[in-house]
């Protein structure tokens, strides 16, 4: 199983960025998908979760109104669209797959390798 996240980079405050996570080696549509992030010197935190079909989504408070999680089961890919980025959004962003909403929030079965997002002027 491989989860490959990409799309990170340097963006100015107030800018936007879209992350993608391509999955292989698993039945993607069977898994809840999530994005986490880990800022320098801090613990990894949950950013967003979506269910197997993509019709249900949940965002961390800091992400509400700015970030959107979506998925395309035909492409085995989950996305994170980030708008109005702030310096405090700087972190490594990871995608993760879990069997259900509890599992993906607490003990994901699979992790991607992470992609770095830097928000700076």
């Amino acid at each position: 199983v491989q989860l490959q996240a990409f799309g990170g980079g340097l963006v100015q405050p107030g800018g936007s960025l879209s992350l993608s996570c391509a999955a292989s080696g698993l039945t993607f549509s069977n898994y809840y998908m999530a994005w986490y992030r880990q800022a320098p010197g801090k613990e990894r935190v949950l950013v967003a979760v979506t269910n197997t079909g993509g019709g249900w989504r949940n965002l961390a408070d800091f992400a509400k109104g700015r970030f959107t999680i979506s998925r395309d089961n035909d492409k085995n890919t989950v996305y994170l669209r980030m708008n109005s980025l702030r310096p405090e959004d700087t972190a490594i962003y990871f995608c993760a797959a879990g069997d259900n909403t509890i599992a993906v929030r607490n003990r994901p079965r699979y992790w991607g390798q992470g992609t770095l997002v830097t928000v700076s002027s």
Side-chain angles (χ1 to χ4, degrees):
V1 174
Q2 188 173 21
L3 301 178
Q4 187 170 4
F6 52 94
L10 174 64
V11 62
Q12 292 187 342
S16 299
L17 206 59
S18 290
L19 306 182
S20 301
C21 173
S24 59
L26 76 169
T27 304
F28 181 74
S29 59
N30 286 351
Y31 288 88
Y32 280 64
M33 297 299 298
W35 286 95
Y36 285 77
R37 74 182 188 185
Q38 186 167 18
K42 296 187 177 180
E43 294 186 351
R44 191 176 301 188
V45 298
L46 182 65
V47 177
V49 180
T50 185
N51 67 346
T52 56
W56 174 84
R57 295 169 290 275
N58 189 262
L59 295 167
D61 286 344
F62 62 79
K64 290 178 180 177
R66 300 189 300 129
F67 295 3
T68 302
I69 185 171
S70 61
R71 66 189 294 163
D72 186 336
N73 285 346
D74 290 335
K75 295 182 178 179
N76 289 356
T77 301
V78 62
Y79 306 94
L80 185 68
R81 174 68 178 178
M82 303 183 292
N83 298 322
S84 303
L85 283 162
R86 306 164 180 165
E88 54 264 38
D89 294 318
T90 295
I92 299 174
Y93 285 73
F94 301 86
C95 56
D99 295 340
N100 50 57
T101 183
I102 295 175
V104 79
R105 291 167 184 268
N106 295 283
R107 193 174 55 254
R109 184 180 293 271
Y110 304 113
W111 287 95
Q113 86 288 1
T115 185
L116 176 62
V117 173
T118 303
V119 185
S120 176
S121 55

